[in-house]
Amino acid sequence: MSCSVAVQYSLFRSRLRSRRFDDSTLRILEFFPASKDAMSLMDAKSSLKEFLRFESLSIIRETAEKTDDQKLLVIEFLVRAFALIGDIESCLALRYEALNFRVLKSFNQPWLQVSHTEWLNFAEHSLHAGFFSIAIKAYEHALSSLQQSDTANYTSHSSFKRIEVIEKIKRLKDHALKLAGSRSVQALTSEYLKKKVTERNIKISSSCTRKSTASTLFRNGIRNHNAKKLHEYQVLEGLTSELHKSSFVIGPTCGLPE
């Protein structure tokens, strides 16, 4: 990690641990892309992602005693921080929690109500990031928000527009469902292919093992057979040699006159 990047990283950690949830702290993260050392930048962002994920758990727990507005401000800070370091998954997860928190609190605090436009915006970002199931839920929230809105003040023109928007959201939701289904099929296909490749490799390995075993047994059989023949030949040679010695000693003696 280069010196300049290390200094920025250390400064951000220090301010976050001091619970400085302001624009000045976020601006430190905005300077990271200006670093010329690509490797140091990657290392720093990886360390930042790990640190921010760990620290955010403590930060969120600490908001338990704060007001709803303070909680939302802290979550908004974390959302922006995760976005700046490129942790899209954590960014979207916190945005979703914030939106649901506002929906829950809006029964007693109407100004926290989430508009269908906010849900649509979140759904679009989730869809582009590949989080299809979250996008589907966001579209459902958008539909619910729009359908539950007061229709008493709608004119005929605005009512028509409202119906158009509802139909558009339904189409977007269907598109997300298709993408989610497609990914499920792709995942199953990929899993099936991996399984088949594994089975094939096991069969090839087993076949090679059997062939190797058979070949080894065959060679060992030939080796044992040759050794046995050699042993028999050596025994026979020994007996023949002994007979020759006997005939050399006994033969002439038997031919002498008494």
Side-chain angles (χ1 to χ4, degrees):
M1 193 181 293
S2 69
C3 183
S4 60
V5 171
V7 169
Q8 288 174 298
Y9 175 51
S10 178
L11 182 58
F12 177 79
R13 285 170 59 101
S14 175
R15 290 182 69 90
L16 193 67
R17 283 176 170 163
S18 299
R19 301 307 188 242
R20 300 287 296 275
F21 306 127
D22 52 31
D23 290 340
S24 297
T25 303
L26 291 173
R27 271 196 290 272
I28 297 171
L29 298 179
E30 292 175 354
F31 289 127
F32 272 92
S35 172
K36 295 179 180 179
D37 190 341
M39 190 58 69
S40 292
L41 187 61
M42 287 177 61
D43 290 341
K45 284 199 169 184
S46 177
S47 298
L48 269 175
K49 183 185 291 187
E50 184 178 348
F51 166 72
L52 192 54
R53 284 188 174 187
F54 177 80
E55 198 68 21
S56 64
L57 297 176
S58 299
I59 291 171
I60 290 172
R61 280 197 295 267
E62 291 167 11
T63 63
E65 302 301 322
K66 296 183 179 295
T67 65
D68 293 340
D69 288 341
Q70 288 175 325
K71 289 177 183 177
L72 288 170
L73 285 173
V74 170
I75 293 176
E76 183 184 352
F77 170 88
L78 292 173
V79 165
R80 292 172 64 190
F82 278 120
L84 285 169
I85 64 173
D87 190 348
I88 305 302
E89 183 177 355
S90 298
C91 176
L92 289 173
L94 280 176
R95 281 181 64 188
Y96 188 65
E97 289 300 319
L99 290 170
N100 277 308
F101 178 78
R102 284 174 56 192
V103 169
L104 181 65
K105 296 295 181 177
S106 64
F107 291 104
N108 297 322
Q109 304 174 75
W111 60 90
L112 291 177
Q113 189 173 0
V114 182
S115 68
H116 76 276
T117 305
E118 289 179 280
W119 280 118
L120 279 176
N121 184 42
F122 175 75
E124 182 181 359
H125 291 162
S126 299
L127 198 66
H128 288 167
F131 297 101
F132 303 130
S133 59
I134 297 298
I136 292 166
K137 289 181 180 179
Y139 285 129
E140 289 173 350
H141 283 303
L143 280 171
S144 177
S145 174
L146 197 57
Q147 290 169 343
Q148 290 176 7
S149 60
D150 185 13
T151 59
N153 297 322
Y154 277 94
T155 64
S156 59
H157 177 72
S158 58
S159 295
F160 179 74
K161 283 290 185 181
R162 178 171 173 273
I163 293 171
E164 275 190 335
V165 173
I166 290 174
E167 291 302 317
K168 179 183 177 182
I169 296 173
K170 287 180 178 179
R171 287 196 298 272
L172 289 170
K173 179 187 171 185
D174 289 340
H175 177 61
L177 285 167
K178 287 179 181 178
L179 289 174
S182 175
R183 188 172 69 171
S184 297
V185 170
Q186 289 173 358
L188 289 172
T189 302
S190 177
E191 185 179 346
Y192 172 77
L193 290 175
K194 285 180 182 178
K195 182 180 178 182
K196 297 304 289 184
V197 169
T198 302
E199 290 176 351
R200 179 175 175 274
N201 290 338
I202 291 173
K203 286 181 180 178
I204 291 173
S205 176
S206 177
S207 176
C208 289
T209 302
R210 286 197 300 270
K211 287 179 181 178
S212 175
T213 303
S215 178
T216 302
L217 290 173
F218 181 72
R219 287 197 299 271
N220 289 342
I222 293 175
R223 194 177 292 115
N224 292 336
H225 176 75
N226 291 338
K228 183 178 179 182
K229 287 295 183 183
L230 177 62
H231 178 69
E232 291 176 352
Y233 175 77
Q234 289 173 340
V235 171
L236 184 60
E237 282 290 308
L239 289 174
T240 303
S241 176
E242 290 296 323
L243 286 174
H244 278 302
K245 288 179 182 179
S246 298
S247 61
F248 178 75
V249 175
I250 298 172
T253 306
C254 292
L256 288 177
E258 291 182 3

